[in-house]
Amino acid sequence: MKRYKIMIIEDDPVIQGELQTLLNGNGYTTIGVRNFSAVTEQIQDEKPHLILLDIKLPGENGFALCSKIRTFSEVPIIFVTSCNTDMDELNSIMLGGDAFITKPYNTAILLAKIASLLKKAYPAQQQEQIVYGDAVLHLESSSLDYNGHSVELTKNELKILYYLFKNGGKICSRGDIIEYLWDNQLYVDDNALSVNINRIREKLASIGLTDFIKTKHRQGYTI
């Protein structure tokens, strides 16, 4: 699977690092700009699928860069900035920006906005699959890929992994997972859930993916 590539044009190394960690952990490939004297050249070379753009930058500001980018590309641009006046947001829209998010940003909102813009910009590339780290869950074929290896899943196993993938990094209680399966007409009780989790772990271990599903004592599961 070819991952979406996101370019981060942010001169604060701490914020840039935080964004890269967040996006890499959610299945994206990231490029952090270091040379701010040749940003447009880097965009033309790397051809990112989406750009996160700050306004206050060394040399040209984000507004000027956005105008330049729009002369050669329709790549989705999200302004992520501490500039939070109505005029700043208006300028970002007038100059071709697709979204405006102020710092400190809410990570869930940022990820949702990125996913929404990518889906709109690249409809032909939308596939029935979810990525978490190096694991790819294929919904149509009911299988999981990891480092070139694949394993088939039952309907229950697929639904459990789907729920964990959609809540990646969060602790999912056993009750929440069972309720989700029940809502999807899959009748799994507490004991059956344990059996399914163990089977999933065995299948993932067979392709080299060990310790992927972690048990949190008296809390539930997480990936």
Side-chain angles (χ1 to χ4, degrees):
M1 171 189 161
K2 183 178 180 180
R3 297 187 182 189
Y4 287 112
K5 185 191 298 184
I6 298 178
M7 179 174 282
I8 303 167
I9 307 175
E10 163 66 63
D11 64 322
D12 185 322
V14 174
I15 296 176
Q16 187 181 106
E18 289 175 350
L19 286 168
Q20 287 191 278
T21 298
L22 172 68
L23 297 173
N24 290 338
N26 282 273
Y28 298 108
T29 297
T30 59
I31 307 159
V33 170
R34 299 285 192 273
N35 179 8
F36 292 92
S37 64
V39 176
T40 54
E41 290 83 350
Q42 292 174 71
I43 294 170
Q44 290 171 320
D45 289 341
E46 295 287 351
K47 296 179 175 58
H49 295 97
L50 183 141
I51 292 172
L52 299 183
L53 178 60
D54 193 8
I55 293 176
K56 295 179 179 178
L57 296 167
E60 287 186 304
N61 65 32
F63 292 140
L65 277 173
C66 186
S67 294
K68 280 191 174 181
I69 294 166
R70 283 292 174 252
T71 65
F72 63 85
S73 175
E74 291 300 314
V75 60
I77 297 173
I78 300 177
F79 281 91
V80 182
T81 176
S82 57
C83 300
N84 58 3
T85 69
D86 290 342
M87 186 56 68
D88 291 320
E89 186 168 2
L90 178 61
N91 283 335
S92 73
I93 295 170
M94 296 296 290
L95 294 171
D98 296 279
F100 187 90
I101 294 179
T102 58
K103 302 172 186 173
Y105 52 85
N106 180 298
T107 56
I109 292 174
L110 177 60
L111 289 171
K113 182 61 68 176
I114 289 171
S116 175
L117 286 174
L118 288 172
K119 186 174 183 179
K120 184 186 300 183
Y122 310 101
Q125 295 186 29
Q126 297 300 314
Q127 300 179 22
E128 292 298 309
Q129 57 191 23
I130 308 176
V131 177
Y132 190 82
D134 293 321
V136 183
L137 186 65
H138 298 276
L139 305 184
E140 289 186 353
S141 62
S142 192
S143 63
L144 184 142
D145 290 347
Y146 176 71
N147 285 351
H149 301 283
S150 181
V151 65
E152 293 185 1
L153 304 164
T154 66
K155 184 181 291 186
N156 283 352
E157 292 165 352
L158 176 67
K159 284 292 184 180
I160 291 168
L161 279 172
Y162 175 80
Y163 188 80
L164 292 174
F165 268 65
K166 293 295 285 185
N167 292 279
K170 301 177 183 176
I171 297 175
C172 303
S173 73
R174 296 174 64 87
D176 286 344
I177 297 172
I178 291 172
E179 183 177 347
Y180 167 75
L181 294 172
W182 182 271
D183 287 343
N184 285 271
Q185 289 77 52
L186 297 172
Y187 306 110
V188 175
D189 59 20
D190 194 70
N191 183 63
L193 177 60
S194 297
V195 171
N196 276 277
I197 291 289
N198 289 334
R199 286 177 179 167
I200 293 170
R201 284 172 167 158
E202 290 174 2
K203 287 185 176 183
L204 299 186
S206 72
I207 58 172
L209 188 54
T210 58
D211 197 32
F212 186 66
I213 301 176
K214 302 174 181 64
T215 300
K216 296 296 182 180
H217 184 57
R218 295 184 179 178
Q219 297 181 71
Y221 302 102
T222 185
I223 59 172

